[in-house]
Amino acid sequence: MSGLGWAEFGDPAGRPVVFVHGYASSRQAAGWTLAGDLLARAGLRVLAPDRPGYGRTPPMPPGQWTARVAARLEGLGPVVVAGVSMGASAALRLAVARPGQVARVALLSGMPPVPAHAWSPAAKADAFYWRLARRTPWLLRGLCAVSARAMASAGARVIPRVERALPAADLEVFRARAGTAQAAFLADAAESGRQGGAAMSDDLLVHLRPWDFAVEEVKAPVWLLHGVDDPKVPVELARSLAARLPGVEAAYLPGGHFAPFADQEALMAVLGGSRI
């Protein structure tokens, strides 16, 4: 395996948007979280790479991944980079490393580094994973490997499993998006576990320590969209991240982790470069 896993959606001749997926996901996430017909109508070309260890991108240091993505963007002109959940760090790192390429960043339920001891998500299952990350990383890796195998092989059975785990704030949005693009969601679930669970456990471990760059270095404007009832990335963490970004405009939305994807028309405007 070499290079990057890569997928494109929307208008092939449209304005380029780099879509950086989150935890336990893949390049295919853009195929169900974004409405394809609206992408085409808005004239947006979504470029979706797999992050290291997910889908078809091999494990590699963050800086190497950033350089490879930047190389794929050469000649496209300024791009918008959207970072979803744990894809926020990769999106912001790209903006720091390539200020001439990145015109703006959109953070959609973005996850910052989390306090080592003072924070735990509301959901018991999520809290258990974070506890393992802090205390027994080796056990976390084993559990993530089991989860990855289950996701890669579950097929359509993964949908009711996901639905049972979602809070009410996210269930309606998930059903609206995955229901209209079920094949894309199932492809995303399968690709997320293609290489096993190492990338999932690494995502948690990376967020328990400071990143390898300072968010204060981001020169591009940042638009931050976050649900006020997000159970996975509490809004307090989003506000703390926003306070550190020099040029941020934030919108705190009703809803949970999927809140930025509820109003697809508004999201297209953000990805297309309009104001929040």
Side-chain angles (χ1 to χ4, degrees):
M1 187 185 300
S2 62
L4 296 171
W6 196 267
E8 296 197 18
F9 306 88
D11 181 356
R15 288 166 290 174
V17 176
V18 180
F19 184 95
V20 186
H21 67 83
Y23 174 83
S25 190
S26 77
R27 67 192 183 282
Q28 300 294 347
W32 68 273
T33 58
L34 303 178
D37 58 332
L38 295 184
L39 286 175
R41 191 187 310 164
L44 299 179
R45 177 189 180 188
V46 172
L47 312 168
D50 286 321
R51 291 197 290 115
Y54 285 111
R56 296 182 180 276
T57 295
M60 65 181 69
Q64 184 179 353
W65 182 89
T66 298
R68 291 191 182 187
V69 171
R72 291 288 296 264
L73 301 178
E74 288 292 343
L76 294 182
V79 301
V80 172
V81 180
V84 181
S85 191
M86 287 188 176
S89 61
L92 292 171
R93 184 182 293 105
L94 184 60
V96 169
R98 296 294 191 275
Q101 282 182 315
V102 178
R104 68 185 71 249
V105 178
L107 298 182
L108 311 176
S109 303
M111 169 69 86
V114 300
H117 303 293
W119 173 82
S120 184
K124 291 183 179 180
D126 291 343
F128 179 61
Y129 274 68
W130 282 105
R131 189 159 59 248
L132 291 181
R134 291 185 174 102
R135 300 176 182 176
T136 52
W138 62 270
L139 188 55
L140 172 70
R141 291 187 181 278
L143 183 59
C144 286
V146 172
S147 297
R149 286 196 297 270
M151 292 178 68
S153 62
R157 293 170 297 169
V158 75
I159 294 178
R161 293 179 187 177
V162 171
E163 290 183 341
R164 286 194 294 271
L166 288 176
D170 284 318
L171 186 56
E172 182 178 352
V173 180
F174 174 78
R175 284 175 171 168
R177 299 303 329 132
T180 57
Q182 180 173 313
F185 173 75
L186 295 178
D188 182 30
E191 284 296 291
S192 71
R194 171 186 284 270
Q195 298 184 58
M200 298 178 193
S201 59
D202 286 346
D203 269 349
L204 295 175
L205 296 172
V206 162
H207 284 81
L208 288 177
R209 56 182 181 267
W211 290 338
D212 58 351
F213 65 96
V215 299
E216 291 83 359
E217 299 176 62
V218 177
K219 304 302 182 185
V222 177
W223 291 348
L224 183 152
L225 282 70
H226 208 96
V228 294
D229 295 315
D230 189 333
K232 294 184 177 294
V233 187
V235 68
E236 292 79 10
L237 292 181
R239 293 185 191 277
S240 70
L241 176 60
R244 297 177 58 197
L245 289 163
V248 67
E249 184 174 350
Y252 299 103
L253 310 170
H257 199 57
F258 292 153
F261 301 97
D263 186 339
Q264 288 280 308
E265 294 276 5
L267 181 56
M268 295 301 143
V270 169
L271 298 181
S274 300
R275 296 179 67 83
I276 292 177

